Amino acid sequence: MKKLIDYLILTVGAIIVAAGLELILAPNSLVDGGVTALAIMGNYLFGVPIWLIYFALNIPALLFCGKYMGKRFIIRTLYANAVTSIALSLLAPMQAITSSEVLIVLYGGLMLGLGVGLVVKAGGAVDGTEMIAVWAQRKFHIPISTFLLAVNAVILTGAAFVFSLEQAMFSVAVFYIVSKLIDFVLDGLNQGKSVMIISDAPHDVGAKLIEELDVQITYLYGQGGYTGDERLLIYCITNRFMYPKLKEVVMSVDSSAVIEASYVTETAGVKKQNFFEVNRENGK
């Protein structure tokens, strides 16, 4: 069932990418970067179908990345590329759905970013530069959006010569939206808040959080840098919707408490048992 859902996501993402290219960007001489941008520019200059250039350019990138990414990535990427190519060929005869610059930039970027993000999240890629970006992210922990921004700066500069400076400027806006939406699809849906609480009444605050919010907390040992006093710090992870209530509960118990919060993109394996209890069981 998990594999079936993944392939459904791959299919939907690939079709969204194809629709964004053929129905919004390509007919209006705009690009989003990467192999898809080269395919659109090749179609504009030489009349070669976008799907043909797209598929031909992606094969070398896949061959390069495949030995680093494994069989699963190769199969899913081949599938996503096949679906995208078929969808591109089927959508090619259709007319653009809009000619408004604002709608082109907005919805072109949203569709490409959503489609690419879904495919990457399901374990594949639909663009040669994105394949390399996924490889770089897994091997060197380079953010996908940062890698794509660097590589596509050159490609988008080329778009200014193929089309016009104005079209290239619109394309930069499209690419920005695409890169941000990719990050949102990959990380934003799982985003939560990591909270550190420094209080003179840590046990009272902790008990109140567990009682009212059922928050999974951990007690950490700390020492004051100025006074040298030892104290317990409260650490927990919550979501951004519950955070305001958490802050209210903490302040109701200890109005002088210090709360530090930062975003986290993924959490897994959270247990009810806190750090203090684990240490006590281990005799520490």
Side-chain angles (χ1 to χ4, degrees):
M1 181 60 69
K2 174 66 165 60
K3 184 178 292 187
L4 178 62
I5 293 174
D6 284 345
Y7 274 89
L8 178 61
I9 293 174
L10 286 170
T11 304
V12 172
I15 293 174
I16 291 174
V17 169
L21 290 174
E22 282 288 5
L23 301 182
I24 299 181
L25 296 184
N28 295 287
S29 300
L30 291 183
V31 299
D32 72 307
V35 169
T36 55
L38 296 176
I40 292 174
M41 289 189 283
N43 173 258
Y44 179 83
L45 293 173
F46 309 111
V48 181
I50 292 176
W51 70 267
L52 183 58
I53 301 175
Y54 164 84
F55 197 76
L57 292 179
N58 275 341
I59 296 303
L62 179 58
L63 292 176
F64 170 76
C65 295
K67 59 183 179 181
Y68 298 100
M69 304 302 293
K71 181 180 178 181
R72 178 177 180 271
F73 178 80
I74 294 175
I75 294 174
R76 296 192 178 202
T77 298
L78 278 174
Y79 176 79
N81 276 253
V83 173
T84 303
S85 298
I86 293 171
L88 284 170
S89 65
L90 294 176
L91 294 172
M94 298 183 182
Q95 297 294 318
I97 59 178
T98 182
S99 59
S100 166
E101 288 88 353
V102 174
L103 295 180
I104 293 168
V105 171
L106 179 59
Y107 285 96
L110 289 176
M111 291 182 70
L112 264 293
L114 176 61
V116 171
L118 288 175
V119 171
V120 172
K121 195 173 186 67
V126 293
D127 188 283
T129 55
E130 287 150 12
M131 295 177 203
I132 300 175
V134 172
W135 164 77
Q137 191 268 339
R138 293 189 181 182
K139 190 172 181 64
F140 302 109
H141 307 292
I142 301 173
I144 291 176
S145 58
T146 301
F147 184 91
L148 292 176
L149 183 62
V151 172
N152 287 306
V154 177
I155 296 176
L156 292 173
T157 300
F161 293 95
V162 174
F163 301 118
S164 67
L165 180 59
E166 184 181 58
Q167 297 300 93
M169 293 170 68
F170 279 127
S171 295
V172 171
V174 171
F175 175 74
Y176 178 80
I177 295 174
V178 170
S179 63
K180 292 302 178 183
L181 199 60
I182 290 173
D183 281 347
F184 177 77
V185 172
L186 295 179
D187 299 325
L189 295 177
N190 297 322
Q191 204 171 67
K193 277 201 169 185
S194 168
V195 183
M196 184 76 73
I197 303 168
I198 304 173
S199 170
D200 292 330
H203 291 294
D204 293 337
V205 172
K208 193 74 170 178
L209 289 174
I210 295 173
E211 177 186 350
E212 293 201 10
L213 302 181
D214 193 28
V215 175
Q216 302 165 6
I217 68 171
T218 295
Y219 289 113
L220 304 175
Y221 287 104
Q223 186 176 48
Y226 179 74
T227 64
D229 295 337
E230 293 186 356
R231 64 169 64 204
L232 288 179
L233 310 178
I234 302 173
Y235 176 79
C236 64
I237 296 175
T238 185
N239 60 57
R240 49 188 154 181
F241 303 107
M242 190 183 293
Y243 174 71
K245 179 61 177 177
L246 181 145
K247 184 177 179 180
E248 179 184 329
V249 170
V250 172
M251 290 303 176
S252 69
V253 178
D254 183 2
S255 59
S256 62
V258 177
I259 303 175
E260 184 275 333
S262 57
Y263 282 109
V264 293
T265 57
E266 184 175 353
T267 61
V270 180
K271 298 181 182 297
K272 292 286 186 180
Q273 191 178 40
N274 64 44
F275 182 85
F276 178 79
E277 292 170 338
V278 172
N279 280 344
R280 184 174 60 191
E281 291 174 1
N282 290 335
K284 296 181 180 179

